[in-house]
Amino acid sequence: MIQMERTKIVDILIAPEVGSDVNIKGWVRTKRGSKGISFVAVNDGSCIHNLQVVVDHQSFDEELLKKITTGASVSITGLLTESQGKGQSVEIQAKEILLYGEADPMTYPLQKKGHGMEFLREIAHLRPRTNTFGAVFRIRHHMAIAIHKFFHERGFFYFHTPLITASDAEGAGAMFEVTTLNIDNPPRHEDGTVDYSEDFFGRRTNLTVSGQLEGELAATALGAIYTFGPTFRAENSNTPRHLAEFWMIEPEIAFYDIVDNMNLAEEFIKYLVQWALDNCRDDLEFLNNMIDKELIARLESVVSKEFKRLTYTEGVKILEDAVAKGHKFEYPVFWGADLASEHERYLVENHFKTPVILTDYPAEIKAFYMKQNEDGKTVRAMDVLFPKIGEIIGGSQREESYEKLVRRCDETGVPTKEMSWYLDTRRFGTVPHSGFGLGFERLLLFVTGMGNIRDVIPFPRTPNNADF
Amino acid sequence: MIQMERTKIVDILIAPEVGSDVNIKGWVRTKRGSKGISFVAVNDGSCIHNLQVVVDHQSFDEELLKKITTGASVSITGLLTESQGKGQSVEIQAKEILLYGEADPMTYPLQKKGHGMEFLREIAHLRPRTNTFGAVFRIRHHMAIAIHKFFHERGFFYFHTPLITASDAEGAGAMFEVTTLNIDNPPRHEDGTVDYSEDFFGRRTNLTVSGQLEGELAATALGAIYTFGPTFRAENSNTPRHLAEFWMIEPEIAFYDIVDNMNLAEEFIKYLVQWALDNCRDDLEFLNNMIDKELIARLESVVSKEFKRLTYTEGVKILEDAVAKGHKFEYPVFWGADLASEHERYLVENHFKTPVILTDYPAEIKAFYMKQNEDGKTVRAMDVLFPKIGEIIGGSQREESYEKLVRRCDETGVPTKEMSWYLDTRRFGTVPHSGFGLGFERLLLFVTGMGNIRDVIPFPRTPNNADF
């Protein structure tokens, strides 16, 4: 057996040493034959491209060659040569083939033919072996790396907020309960109610819907932080845009006002999209060809344009004008309404033809912690609206006045006693501060062009689905 | 009001422009006075160091100066000058002081005097404002960045495995249940048992204890991946080494054998420790002075030494010899025993005086998925043992033979039907592969010198504690 160190296919293709022996290890994607010769396409997951292996039947055992089928795993050593065929620049003339594992063509689900997304979701444990999901998950990796790099370079600290929390005050959405009680027969008080003091944490707990409040604790100590972790919503939403478990990025920055916050958000998302264009070109080109023909053009457009900034009130006026001119929306438009995705996309795609940042939303449709404007009606919220996606980032300057915040808690039913740890940030050395949240999978929908959020996370959790 | 862009204190100290005006924003750590002049130490979280502000009482309103107390938040503009006093090289001669928020000395819990760790845990929402926790959380950030950088540079893909899972087969520990059922009155089948088909996911689900199995799915498609996410154990362990919610890093690599795996683990952890020494020097020096006088020496020792590699069997022999020579252990030593921390630390600290990698553990004390050795008794496991910590990394080569793995499932009671998605990695194109897990907080205990794991995570979750 020839002993050679394995080279990843991505590295061979970046700097091919034609005329040298190489060893690759990976999985067979296809095999086609032609009088005494087989062409075996091997992929090792390191990039979208396969490396073609030319196998002279005379040099190998017939039984071995039979087992080289789609999905089989192999180690191949041979001479790297310039390719005679189309579609690849280099190929390997096989000298040695080691078969690690077969993939029975009768049962292996990923045969050559294309598969529907729905079918691939059912075999989510195998779909990373396809071109599309290989590309999506490599881009997912790159976006995560770019997020850390962006914040690290700017002196933000990555901060881990808790997943299990007893705080249920934010009201951001329905929650999952976390328990070690025996649900069939929980301990009970004398009056018959469940005795949560026997639960693991001695109280009711649930999975977090946002790390923001804890993020504010950190920002008012370390100055600038960001979270990047899983977040949960127990909403029974069976849509292509909702997951029960998803990842969120939430920067929070002391001494930032709403303008600083908008500047950061715009710089951030342009940085991420530019990173994808610079570092994921092959995968993006594949997705551009196979999934969304306008993908790369849309990404390039976003990084080149200045985002349009206007108030919610101005935005509603534009939408009302559109309605007056005959544009039909499914949902009504009026000052005070929560904008629907169709409204957001109208502003972005039809009216301004550039991403939009809307600010100064009505207080009634926004969270209690947002900074109140002088007008007594609006808050210093900001939503970044994107083509195809609608809202991709939501954020605000936070209310730093203890008195105003407590009043707003009272008005909206937030229990100030349970939230005293949060209010302490305003009691002790309060500062102006701001932050926002980016749904990681929303970003990935935009960057990959995929149409369903279940296809940009490895193992989607949705109503009635927690497989794998 | 002077309009100046704020500079972070860390940036001022790296390249002080003496003679220029600067603006800083942060929180007052201390104020001391001396005939008509106050010295105010301001910290902004960007680094361990305060910047001293010299305040001439004649230039400022007395009422304002009274409010400049520990914990108050301020914006200070003034001339950066070389410091006349001890303990700092530069200071600011204040020209303008803006008070954002007071911190009432009667109620603000973080006064100048030192606080016990137990007290600080009770005010975990404020403890990032202390020197110690500022240092710990900045180092935590740096270790996370170094982890991503290490893997990214080596072509590993960051892969998000699910938090909520229906898989309860690994047996790595007690689990938290996740539910939307009404625990007080859950829906029931006719026979009275709880009807989990009504639960959010249509079945019983819990919080993951490890992402490894899903990580293997990814590694056998993308080649080399790592996870870095929260993990949960519902164990009622009230010790300085256990958390109910903690973060884990789990690389998984196709075509890696146990030796590749050991090489990766040793390179990885040395990289992280070296990163801390190179990038967190000021914070480490603070912790070295205040928490653990041997910290930096211990970190430097680990990166400079080759880890000693030996089998479990050889390790047990050394421990048995030590017992024979009179060394007392609390727990018994014999072949087949799960080693206790005292045994691991004996090998590391007393015998070899260097980190140790033990391999080839008895199958009976290791998980079902580890590759079986020819001897029929041991598996290709590896544990990396560290001074002060004991086991810091645990991993193995994985069993790639479908038949052997199924046999082992049957022997250990792992339900092969429910695990068919996992077994598919061995049915279709199976490959040799390996991986390991590093507990992020165990790493941080080592790198920071802190004694209790609750003090290296922002908001620790432990039995009867889910505050904040």
Side-chain angles (χ1 to χ4, degrees), chain A residues 47-277:
Chain A
C47 63
I48 190 84
H49 301 295
N50 303 325
L51 192 49
Q52 175 162 286
V53 178
V54 183
V55 181
D56 184 340
H57 292 187
Q58 289 194 314
S59 311
F60 296 94
D61 181 55
E62 201 179 325
E63 283 305 303
L64 173 71
L65 295 182
K66 268 192 209 161
K67 294 173 182 168
I68 307 286
T69 60
T70 297
S73 49
V74 290
S75 170
I76 287 170
T77 307
L79 187 69
L80 191 70
T81 59
E82 289 192 21
S83 178
Q84 308 303 311
K86 279 185 201 164
Q88 64 274 323
S89 57
V90 292
E91 61 191 19
I92 295 179
Q93 306 284 343
K95 293 182 180 174
E96 186 176 273
I97 300 175
L98 172 68
L99 178 78
Y100 286 119
E102 300 175 49
D104 178 6
M106 303 301 290
T107 53
Y108 186 57
L110 291 171
Q111 298 304 327
K112 197 184 169 185
K113 63 178 161 38
H115 305 281
M117 289 294 165
E118 187 58 53
F119 170 73
L120 290 171
R121 261 169 241 146
E122 285 167 21
I123 53 164
H125 63 304
L126 296 173
R127 67 180 182 170
R129 298 184 182 195
T130 65
N131 281 328
T132 299
F133 287 93
V136 166
F137 295 141
R138 281 187 296 269
I139 293 172
R140 190 176 166 107
H141 160 79
H142 271 283
M143 289 296 88
I145 292 298
I147 287 163
H148 285 296
K149 200 165 150 58
F150 177 87
F151 287 121
H152 179 64
E153 286 171 353
R154 283 155 186 78
F156 288 56
F157 299 110
Y158 182 33
F159 192 77
H160 286 138
T161 52
L163 282 286
I164 298 173
T165 167
S167 157
D168 59 356
E170 204 202 343
M175 289 186 294
F176 290 102
E177 199 158 340
V178 175
T179 186
T180 53
L181 294 182
N182 177 356
I183 296 180
D184 190 42
N185 184 20
R188 292 182 187 272
H189 293 292
E190 283 189 11
D191 67 1
T193 56
V194 174
D195 181 4
Y196 283 98
S197 73
E198 299 273 311
D199 208 345
F200 189 89
F201 296 107
R203 61 205 286 192
R204 277 182 94 146
T205 52
N206 36 59
L207 289 176
T208 186
V209 294
S210 161
Q212 179 200 314
L213 303 191
E214 290 91 352
E216 289 184 54
L217 304 176
T220 53
L222 301 170
I225 65 94
Y226 65 106
T227 72
F228 184 179
T231 319
F232 306 86
R233 300 282 156 87
E235 271 150 33
N236 202 2
S237 303
N238 248 317
T239 84
R241 291 163 51 89
H242 290 87
L243 291 167
E245 174 182 312
F246 55 99
W247 287 66
M248 282 257 279
I249 300 99
E250 298 182 284
E252 193 72 35
I253 317 97
F255 311 111
Y256 259 38
D257 65 18
I258 186 77
V259 176
D260 299 321
N261 208 26
M262 285 193 278
N263 292 344
L264 182 73
E266 181 167 345
E267 188 189 355
F268 177 49
I269 201 145
K270 283 179 170 173
Y271 181 96
L272 299 182
V273 173
Q274 189 63 54
W275 182 280
L277 287 167

Side-chain angles (χ1 to χ4, degrees), chain A residues 311-385:
Chain A
T311 66
Y312 166 91
T313 302
E314 292 163 339
V316 166
K317 198 159 286 165
I318 291 166
L319 294 169
E320 285 174 337
D321 285 353
V323 170
K325 285 179 190 147
H327 192 91
K328 300 268 184 253
F329 290 115
E330 193 181 343
Y331 295 97
V333 175
F334 56 92
W335 198 95
D338 213 349
L339 298 186
S341 183
E342 56 172 345
H343 305 133
E344 297 169 341
R345 293 183 61 178
Y346 179 87
L347 292 173
V348 173
E349 294 169 21
N350 299 44
H351 191 83
F352 290 113
K353 299 187 197 322
T354 186
V356 166
I357 309 183
L358 279 192
T359 56
D360 301 290
Y361 282 72
E364 300 310 309
I365 58 171
K366 289 291 182 184
F368 74 97
Y369 47 71
M370 296 192 180
K371 184 171 173 68
Q372 297 154 39
N373 281 323
E374 310 294 308
D375 63 14
K377 292 191 304 181
T378 60
V379 290
R380 232 162 278 182
M382 62 166 215
D383 282 2
V384 181
L385 313 180

Side-chain angles (χ1 to χ4, degrees), chain B residues 139-156:
Chain B
I139 293 171
R140 190 176 165 107
H141 161 79
H142 271 282
M143 289 296 90
I145 293 297
I147 287 163
H148 285 296
K149 201 164 150 57
F150 177 86
F151 287 121
H152 179 64
E153 288 171 352
R154 283 155 186 78
F156 287 56

Side-chain angles (χ1 to χ4, degrees), chain B residues 1-64:
Chain B
M1 200 176 120
I2 309 167
Q3 285 291 345
M4 269 206 79
E5 200 164 318
R6 169 204 184 201
T7 309
K8 286 187 182 178
I9 290 173
V10 66
D11 296 325
I12 291 176
L13 295 181
I14 284 172
E17 293 189 34
V18 170
S20 301
D21 277 352
V22 291
N23 171 259
I24 62 168
K25 299 179 196 295
W27 293 266
V28 173
R29 282 290 170 83
T30 58
K31 181 172 80 171
R32 34 187 201 90
S34 125
K35 31 181 157 74
I37 289 185
S38 288
F39 299 97
V40 180
V42 176
N43 187 285
D44 66 4
S46 65
C47 63
I48 191 86
H49 301 295
N50 304 326
L51 192 50
Q52 175 162 290
V53 178
V54 183
V55 181
D56 185 339
H57 292 188
Q58 289 193 312
S59 312
F60 296 94
D61 181 56
E62 201 179 325
E63 283 306 303
L64 174 71

Side-chain angles (χ1 to χ4, degrees), chain B residues 150 154 256 262-272 307 309:
Chain B
F150 177 86
R154 283 155 186 78
Y256 260 39
M262 285 193 278
N263 291 344
L264 183 74
E266 181 167 345
E267 189 188 355
F268 177 50
I269 202 146
K270 284 179 170 172
Y271 181 97
L272 299 182
F307 294 6
R309 301 177 184 191

